[in-house]
Amino acid sequence: MRSTWVVFNYALRESLRRRVFHAGLVLTVVFLSLYALGCSFVHVPESPFPGAKVDVSVAATILGLAVFATYFFGVSLAIFLTISTVRGDAEQGVLQSLIVRPLARWQFLLGRLLAAVAVAVVYVAIVFTASIAITSATLDWAPQHALAAGLEISAAIAVVAVVSMLSSVYLSGVANGIGVFMLFGAGLFGGLLGEIGDALNSPKLEHTATVIRYLAPFEWLYQSSLGRLIQGEGGFTRAALRLGPFGGSINGGTAVWLWSAAYALVMAAATVLAFSRRDL
Amino acid sequence: MGLYSLAVVAPPNDPTVGASEHASAPALSVRGLVKRFGKTDALGGVELEVEPGQLVGLLGPNGAGKSTLTKIACGLVRPSGGKVEIFGARAGSRQACRAIGYLAELFRYPSWLSADEVLKLHQRLAGSSGGAEERRRLLERVGLSAAADKRVGAMSKGMQQRLGVAQALVGTPRLLLLDEPTSALDPGGRRDMRLLLEELRSEGVAVLLNSHLLSEVELVCDHVVIVDRGQVVESGPLEDLARPRGVEVELEQGSRLYEGMSRDEVPALVERLVAEGERVFGVSVRAATLEEVYLDVVTEDGE
């Protein structure tokens, strides 16, 4: 594992020195500042009838938007850190001198993947925690299952990184970035279909959304994390939240974890196999 | 296509390698190597052998298969058929990778690393225990002592190529595979590179030098392999390839080449010309230059 550790360290330093990472940090600070400003301007109306926790609905709705932004930023970072892992770097002439060293190709991939996931997950953890802290400080509400939600968002980003790494074996950097973003968009589209299917009571649309969840389990993890955020709420409040940005929320349970783990393992194995057969 | 087998020279000391391996295995052994890219045959049954301490020039036109051959030896490209071994170990295996140093034709190091950091990274990947002393020595060897802390992004192409050579020497490789290592160097840099290669040869390191520069190969290599269309079309020691081309005589009307004539026939030739009333101003025995040999075999094959 020494070689993997060397590659991990190298890739970690490379990730932190990329301009896109620095630009992302600046944009994130801007986002969190605007989020805090927006939260401070929020007006919570009087409850229309007894039992309706409007303040919770408002705070959770706004946090839901922040979670989507966190998810989007995390996915973008994971993609940018992995899009050129194989073909992109080989075309640039970066990869060859590393691969001829006495290390197995799977060790190289593992080191690169772990570094990308580590950077993206730490980033997501910080933004997610900051969003919750801002919501709690300004709107006096915090989700009861924040840790579980954060873990699921992080897992979603790790799955995206694995997918991006697999396609990096075949596609050059730009093409891979576009392809993985399209897949990410397809996942979001699936979530939207599920929401519409739920509202219209359309089994076909809901079935389509379920298929997309299996094909793009990062979306399933995201929806499950949204579900975690409102897990402690019930009655009218929960129903109101499901009408808002939490409409795609579901209770993924252990199934989402098992499927996502299996999916990521198969993707990782396919990446190792494809890379071992690739001429550089 | 002939087997390219050359004299054995004592390899450098390496405690990690068994005595039997030193005694018997060539630095690079290529047997019936075939590589196909789709329907294109890049290499069609190449035979090649390089012994420790040999400096072999690999020549050929663009697309001849030189880089593919080098990459297969490094384990970057998988062969479609045949066998390639580095000191008896399958090319691409960890044992083979430990024995080689490689500089690609197209290479780039991360711009944010310094020269010292690039070498440190490769030391760690190669498992070299040389530490700072090895890095200092390598940078000195390629003339980059003063640039140890300079970022790659701030280096000229020539400096990066020197760094590439230093990187290839990390871990004291016993076989050096260099793909156009002087393409970005100025004349002074090329001379330094020749001296370095000669030093390495004297240390018993085997070198396969892939180059388009015939003059460079002619100056530094003791053996040459010419590849064209995936086949070895000429190979052997440089002096064997430089076969006689005839005798050139300077006459009143100009120079005249008597093809196929040898040095022994010069006195009779001069005697005959004088008897015929010619005035002879000079005589020289012509041998084919590497360029002429190259153009002969490549053009013939190409036609």
Side-chain angles (χ1 to χ4, degrees), chain A residues 191-278:
Chain A
L192 189 65
L193 280 185
E195 204 171 338
I196 295 169
D198 188 37
L200 299 179
N201 197 22
S202 164
K204 279 189 179 175
L205 284 181
E206 287 187 296
H207 178 70
T208 305
T210 304
V211 170
I212 292 176
R213 262 186 230 126
Y214 278 96
L215 292 175
F218 42 86
E219 174 65 19
W220 191 2
L221 283 161
Y222 165 64
Q223 291 174 3
S224 184
S225 76
L226 289 180
R228 298 275 188 196
L229 290 177
I230 56 171
Q231 203 172 338
E233 306 301 332
F236 173 80
T237 308
R238 187 182 180 85
L241 287 171
R242 280 187 61 79
L243 289 173
F246 289 89
S249 71
I250 55 167
N251 179 11
T254 49
V256 68
W257 282 98
L258 290 174
W259 177 254
S260 299
Y263 183 94
L265 281 174
V266 169
M267 288 283 168
T271 309
V272 170
L273 183 67
F275 189 32
S276 70
R277 300 171 66 84
R278 175 152 188 93

Side-chain angles (χ1 to χ4, degrees), chain A residues 49-120:
Chain A
F49 50 86
K53 294 190 279 186
V54 177
D55 54 340
V56 172
S57 298
V58 169
T61 299
I62 289 175
L63 179 63
L65 294 171
V67 168
F68 173 74
T70 307
Y71 174 51
F72 179 75
F73 292 156
V75 164
S76 303
L77 187 58
I79 292 174
F80 276 117
L81 294 179
T82 49
I83 49 173
S84 295
T85 301
V86 177
R87 186 167 166 180
D89 275 2
E91 285 175 351
Q92 293 284 316
V94 175
L95 196 59
Q96 287 82 348
S97 68
L98 301 173
I99 294 299
V100 298
R101 295 297 175 191
L103 79 159
R105 289 190 178 191
W106 68 264
Q107 291 179 309
F108 176 81
L109 287 176
L110 183 61
R112 293 294 308 237
L113 179 67
L114 290 177
V117 169
V119 171

Side-chain angles (χ1 to χ4, degrees), chain B residues 65-82:
Chain B
K66 307 186 301 292
S67 289
T68 302
L69 172 58
T70 312
K71 286 181 174 182
I72 290 174
C74 291
L76 290 172
V77 170
R78 293 178 313 141
S80 306

Side-chain angles (χ1 to χ4, degrees), chain A residues 2 101 107 279-280, chain B residues 35 76 78 94 124 167:
Chain A
R2 189 187 57 80
R101 295 297 175 191
Q107 291 179 309
D279 289 337
L280 300 170
Chain B
K35 179 62 187 177
L76 290 172
R78 293 178 313 141
R94 286 198 187 202
R124 294 175 71 190
Q167 170 274 131

